[in-house]
Amino acid sequence: MTDLKIYCFTLNEYLILNKFPSYIQILGLGKTNFNKNYLDEKKGLNINSLNHYYGEATGFYWIWKNELKKMNKKSWLGTCNYRKLWLNKCYNNKQKFSVSSLYSNLLQPNNNIFNNSEAVQVQPIIFKKETVLQQFEKVHGKNIITECADFLDGKLKTDFIKFINSNSLSITFFLTTADIFDEYCNILFPWLEKCYRYCNEINVLNGYNARIPAFLMERFNSFWFSTYIKKLNYLSYARLGNSMLSDNVNKFVNPMKLPFTLRMYPTLHKY
């Protein structure tokens, strides 16, 4: 059984969060005053004031500064969020004919993948008609990500430019050991601070683009793990719909435990 702790990020409280497996700890981000059953990034060393811009990266920072010191360096930790949960396998197709519940197919600490990996990412999205760079610039504007790449040094910059000119991208969350997470954060946060300052100077942190540092972190996260982790493996994930998240439903039943609910998953993206 792997020593595993997954931090589930949320901006709000939902009844379903109390029904997640015990190895998942809920970490509240943002301005909400969370109940005592939740971890709260406003307590301890934090950059909560930057959550509007950094998104889930403020949760990474909180774990790094407050939780890592409690862990053995080879303990496994991971992240997910309130509506995106790890599955126990990597699937290429939706399980349309399964009678199983979603809950019984969530990631288990006894999964053999932990014995054969240094880190795990969500199976990547493959862009068929554009690169990671082109997709970013289409949504967020020209030159921002390439200018921010200049804040990286030497091989790190070269490798990142190569990555964004590829067509493979994993979503933000990951599983890894405490020592690797520490190494990652020591590289991520100095760079992200420079990106934030630059974006603020050129006045692009407006509207949807207020979260450009978060979107940059998403690309960097996928890049760093896929480029520098030798023993990297992949799992699928499930994105919970509104009916799963509904407090009205969760007052009476755990919808994840209903039979046939796996058939909606995994969540797959086609571009």
Side-chain angles (χ1 to χ4, degrees), residues 29 56 65 93 123 185 208 232 250 264:
L29 307 183
E56 293 182 352
K65 292 298 183 181
N93 299 292
Q123 62 194 117
C185 289
Y208 183 64
L232 179 69
N250 280 276
M264 297 183 287

Side-chain angles (χ1 to χ4, degrees), residues 18-248:
N18 302 320
K19 301 178 179 182
F20 285 176
S22 59
Y23 64 84
I24 299 179
Q25 295 200 358
I26 310 305
L27 174 55
L29 307 183
K31 298 179 180 180
T32 301
N33 292 317
F34 294 97
N35 73 58
K36 63 181 181 180
N37 295 321
Y38 288 31
L39 299 172
D40 189 334
E41 72 161 346
K42 293 185 289 298
K43 299 175 181 178
L45 295 173
N46 69 81
I47 50 172
N48 171 262
S49 62
L50 293 174
N51 179 259
H52 181 65
Y53 306 102
Y54 277 37
E56 293 182 352
T58 64
F60 294 172
Y61 185 91
W62 188 88
I63 298 165
W64 182 39
K65 292 298 183 181
N66 297 283
E67 294 287 285
L68 218 58
K69 59 190 175 184
K70 305 174 187 177
M71 297 180 184
N72 181 287
K73 67 178 183 178
K74 291 302 179 184
S75 294
W76 277 82
L77 63 95
T79 61
C80 65
N81 70 37
Y82 72 103
R83 72 184 314 153
K84 296 178 181 178
L85 301 177
W86 290 95
L87 294 177
N88 210 38
K89 294 181 181 179
C90 189
Y91 301 95
N92 292 320
N93 299 292
K94 287 193 181 293
Q95 302 303 293
K96 296 179 180 179
F97 303 106
S98 175
V99 299
S100 296
S101 70
L102 171 61
Y103 191 91
S104 65
N105 287 275
L106 295 177
L107 177 64
Q108 298 297 318
N110 63 357
N111 191 314
N112 195 50
I113 199 168
F114 296 112
N115 299 322
N116 302 310
S117 308
E118 294 174 321
V120 181
Q121 287 189 303
V122 171
Q123 62 194 117
I125 300 164
I126 305 298
F127 298 116
K128 294 181 179 180
K129 297 181 179 180
E130 58 190 354
T131 64
V132 174
L133 171 61
Q134 290 169 331
Q135 189 273 338
F136 186 94
E137 293 192 331
K138 179 175 69 177
V139 178
H140 304 293
K142 297 286 186 180
N143 302 322
I144 296 170
I145 193 170
T146 51
E147 291 292 331
C148 287
D150 286 339
F151 301 133
L152 298 169
D153 295 326
K155 190 175 186 299
L156 199 62
K157 174 183 174 180
T158 301
D159 289 346
F160 185 64
I161 293 294
K162 180 180 178 181
F163 170 81
I164 62 175
N165 280 285
S166 73
N167 66 340
S168 177
L169 180 70
S170 291
I171 66 171
T172 307
F173 50 91
F174 57 85
L175 305 163
T176 194
T177 54
D179 57 339
I180 292 175
F181 179 66
D182 185 45
E183 180 183 357
Y184 168 65
C185 289
N186 273 300
I187 297 169
L188 170 66
F189 284 103
W191 177 70
L192 202 59
E193 182 179 5
K194 293 174 184 177
C195 295
Y196 169 70
R197 288 179 178 176
Y198 168 73
C199 291
N200 200 32
E201 287 172 2
I202 64 172
N203 196 31
V204 295
L205 299 178
N206 305 299
Y208 183 64
N209 271 355
R211 295 180 67 241
I212 281 180
F215 302 133
L216 289 168
M217 178 275 292
E218 290 173 357
R219 276 69 183 175
F220 189 86
N221 180 84
S222 182
F223 149 71
W224 193 85
F225 282 96
S226 64
T227 303
Y228 298 119
I229 301 301
K230 294 180 180 179
K231 295 171 67 177
L232 179 69
N233 283 299
Y234 299 95
L235 290 171
S236 297
Y237 81 103
R239 184 183 187 277
L240 305 183
N242 290 337
S243 60
M244 285 277 189
L245 291 173
S246 169
D247 282 353
N248 289 330

